[in-house]
């Protein structure tokens, strides 16, 4: 038996069928938006923030590129929740305590992931972020992480920004960041790290900013900063450092801004390597007030005189060995991974934006990109907004949300279809 076709319909019916087929391709046929969320067409965005969701809402449009789920009470993340088109995923300020294995594994386009300010997220599996080869920014601040498993950042070759501040990190093991050849910003302040080992920063040839203030540092290995040839900003203030034996700062030829204040510096013979380093370099530095001995308390270490070290024994230095080791690390630090553009550029397309001005980082307050709370980030579209700016489909007026399931102008075919259907 032959199935009827459009040719078998009356003339009006054939026209109606053609109109229905045309309507199937208009933008108004976009997937429905989840309840209590707002969706936008260009770029495809789903905004569900601050709605007291206890889980990720069902029915997220599979083609969404930006998902804003912050400021809810989401407790767990499960595999298969997010679509492969996701580029930006904000989950900060929730109650996340567990992340199921594979949750982020099939997100090949993901570039920014913000899990910050989830105080119940205390443990991460070693493979949590594996497969995110395009990830450029990872936010894990204020999550009460006491440790990070070895290999957790393995394969994140595109990562440029890593926010680990204000956790409870007790230590950082060697080679933890070894795969991050393009990392330019590493924020580790506000933790409880007591020592930096020789290989802790191995594999970071592009690092531009390293913030380690407000930890509990008492010791830094003399080779801890080896291979950081592009580092321009280093914050070590508000720790428990009395000395820097072995001149670890000598491995930082590009350093421009240094903060060492609020440490109990001993201005005896132990201060000579740091004092000598200041004499031969031009670095903008905070004051370095002495805490001991009593007769030098309050004196700036940088202003000590050569005769203050006359009674000190000569130190044995192995500069040639250090130079050879530095050359070896520079040659193999990238691990075969291409280093992208200029370090320190703002998040976006590689090489399109300049680095943030150093003056924004060198001040008594914390850097502007330090704390990813509500104010430092561009806010997601508000619920009463008509849509994100710059919509290519509607250059003159903002588009209606996808939730309204309507394009910018009423479709010309709809009135025509309304006239024809009653006559069929």
């Amino acid at each position: 038996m032959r199935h009827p076709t459009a040719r078998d319909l009356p003339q009006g019916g054939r026209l109606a069928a053609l109109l229905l087929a045309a309507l199937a391709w208009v933008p108004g046929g976009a997937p429905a938006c989840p309840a209590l969320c707002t969706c936008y067409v260009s770029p495809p965005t789903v905004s569900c923030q601050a709605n007291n969701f206890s889980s990720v809402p069902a029915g997220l449009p599979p083609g969404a590129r930006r998902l804003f789920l912050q400021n809810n009470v989401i407790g767990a993340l499960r595999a298969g929740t997010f679509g492969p088109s996701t580029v930006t995923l904000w989950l900060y300020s929730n109650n996340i305590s567990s992340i199921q294995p594979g949750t982020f594994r099939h997100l090949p386009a993901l570039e920014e992931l913000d899990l910050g300010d989830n105080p119940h997220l205390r443990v991460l599996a070693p493979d949590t972020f594996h497969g995110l080869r395009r990830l450029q920014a990872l936010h894990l601040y204020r999550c009460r992480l006491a440790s990070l498993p070895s290999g957790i950042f393995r394969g994140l070759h595109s990562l440029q920004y890593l926010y680990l501040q204000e956790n409870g990190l007790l230590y950082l093991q060697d080679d933890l960041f070894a795969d991050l050849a393009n990392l330019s910003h590493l924020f580790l302040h506000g933790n409880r790290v007591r020592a930096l080992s020789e290989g802790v920063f191995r594999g970071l040839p592009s690092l531009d900013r390293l913030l380690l203030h407000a930890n509990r540092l008492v010791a830094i290995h003399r080779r801890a900063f080896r291979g950081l040839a592009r580092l321009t900003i280093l914050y070590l203030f508000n720790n428990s450092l009395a000395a820097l034996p072995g001149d670890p700062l000598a491995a930082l030829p590009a350093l421009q801004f240094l903060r060492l204040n609020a440490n109990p510096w001993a201005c005896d013979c132990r201060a000579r390597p740091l004092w000598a380093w200041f004499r031969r370099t031009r670095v903008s530095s905070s004051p370095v007030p002495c805490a001991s001995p009593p007769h030098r308390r309050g004196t700036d270490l940088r202003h000590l005189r050569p005769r203050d070290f006359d009674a000190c024994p000569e130190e044995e230095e192995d500069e040639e060995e250090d130079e050879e080791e530095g050359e070896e690390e520079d040659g193999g630090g990238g691990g075969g991974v291409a280093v992208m553009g200029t370090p320190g550029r703002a998040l976006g397309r590689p090489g399109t934006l300049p680095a943030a001005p150093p003056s924004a980082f060198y001040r008594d307050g914390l850097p502007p990109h330090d704390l990813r709370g509500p104010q430092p980030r561009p806010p997601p579209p508000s619920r009463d907004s008509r849509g994100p700016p710059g919509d290519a489909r509607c250059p003159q007026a903002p588009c209606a949300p996808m939730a309204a399931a309507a394009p910018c102008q009423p479709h010309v075919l709809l009135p025509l279809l309304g006239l024809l259907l009653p006559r069929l």
Side-chain angles (χ1 to χ4, degrees):
M1 177 179 179
R2 187 175 67 87
H3 294 284
T5 65
R7 294 181 180 276
D8 299 318
L9 298 175
Q11 184 175 2
R14 289 200 299 271
L15 182 56
L18 292 174
L19 288 171
L20 289 172
L23 287 174
W25 292 93
V26 300
C33 195
L36 301 180
C37 299
T38 305
C39 299
Y40 303 95
V41 175
S42 180
T45 301
V46 181
S47 181
C48 302
Q49 74 269 27
N51 275 307
N52 208 34
F53 286 120
S54 60
S55 61
V56 177
L60 294 175
R65 298 188 63 198
R66 302 193 303 174
L67 298 178
F68 300 138
L69 294 160
Q70 69 273 20
N71 293 308
N72 286 290
V73 290
I74 297 170
L77 301 179
R78 307 191 183 282
T81 303
F82 308 111
S85 300
T86 307
V87 174
T88 301
L89 180 54
W90 288 359
L91 288 156
Y92 65 89
S93 299
N94 275 281
N95 288 337
I96 298 170
S97 61
S98 65
I99 300 175
Q100 187 180 48
T103 295
F104 307 121
R105 188 166 298 155
H106 302 293
L107 302 180
L110 192 63
E111 294 181 2
E112 181 176 10
L113 175 60
D114 194 334
L115 292 165
D117 194 24
N118 277 285
H120 301 291
L121 185 60
R122 302 185 180 188
V123 178
L124 292 172
D127 61 348
T128 300
F129 307 116
H130 286 189
L132 299 179
R133 294 187 177 133
R134 295 187 62 180
L135 192 67
Q136 296 181 24
L138 177 58
H139 306 265
L140 291 168
Y141 55 92
R142 292 198 292 271
C143 289
R144 297 190 184 177
L145 298 168
S147 63
L148 294 167
S150 297
I152 190 169
F153 304 124
R154 185 172 299 150
L156 303 184
H157 301 309
S158 298
L159 196 66
Q160 301 173 46
Y161 299 82
L162 181 54
Y163 299 86
L164 294 167
Q165 71 267 26
E166 297 186 46
N167 281 284
L169 294 174
L170 299 171
Y171 64 92
L172 301 168
Q173 60 268 43
D174 283 354
D175 298 315
L176 181 62
F177 311 109
D179 265 9
L180 308 184
N182 285 294
L183 193 71
S184 65
H185 291 59
L186 179 54
F187 291 170
L188 288 162
H189 55 280
N191 285 289
R192 293 185 287 171
V193 178
R194 295 182 59 85
L196 300 178
S197 57
E198 179 177 2
V200 64
F201 300 124
R202 191 157 37 220
L204 297 175
S206 299
L207 197 63
D208 181 76
R209 285 159 193 164
L210 177 58
L211 307 189
L212 287 159
H213 55 279
N215 274 277
R216 299 180 182 180
L217 289 172
V218 296
I220 297 178
H221 193 280
R222 64 193 301 262
R223 298 188 186 92
F225 301 133
R226 285 288 174 187
L228 305 185
R230 299 186 184 182
L231 193 73
T232 64
I233 296 176
L234 176 62
Y235 283 180
L236 289 167
F237 66 91
N238 196 15
N239 277 286
S240 299
L241 294 167
L244 291 179
D247 202 4
L249 300 180
L252 303 175
L255 192 64
Q256 299 177 23
F257 299 93
L258 175 67
R259 289 195 62 179
L260 295 173
N261 53 297
N263 281 285
W265 295 108
C267 291
D268 49 23
C269 293
R270 291 173 288 175
R272 184 164 61 178
L274 181 56
W275 170 81
W277 178 82
F278 273 115
R279 283 171 61 89
R280 65 178 184 267
T281 57
R282 288 182 173 270
V283 172
S284 181
S285 169
S286 67
V288 190
C290 301
S292 63
H295 66 279
R296 290 179 183 162
R297 184 173 299 151
T299 302
D300 196 317
L301 181 150
R302 300 172 300 172
H303 301 156
L304 296 177
R305 298 159 297 180
R307 67 170 177 265
D308 293 327
F309 302 102
D310 285 346
C312 297
E314 292 296 327
E315 294 184 353
E316 296 182 2
E317 298 183 358
D318 194 359
E319 296 183 357
E320 294 183 1
E321 179 183 347
D322 288 348
E323 290 178 2
E324 292 176 1
E325 291 176 358
E327 292 174 359
E328 291 176 1
E329 290 183 8
D330 291 342
V337 179
V339 177
M340 306 187 311
T342 303
R345 62 183 178 279
L347 179 61
R349 292 190 297 270
T352 59
L353 294 174
S359 59
F361 286 81
Y362 187 64
R363 60 190 185 199
D364 289 337
L366 296 179
H369 305 306
D370 238 6
L371 305 176
R372 294 299 297 266
Q375 64 276 11
R377 63 177 70 252
S382 59
R383 296 200 57 188
D384 58 350
S385 114
R386 293 181 176 270
D391 192 334
R393 291 177 50 253
C394 308
Q396 303 300 328
C399 284
M402 282 168 48
C408 302
Q409 301 293 337
H411 202 283
V412 69
L413 298 179
L414 290 176
L416 183 58
L417 182 60
L419 294 173
L420 287 173
L421 287 177
R423 300 182 182 182
L424 300 180

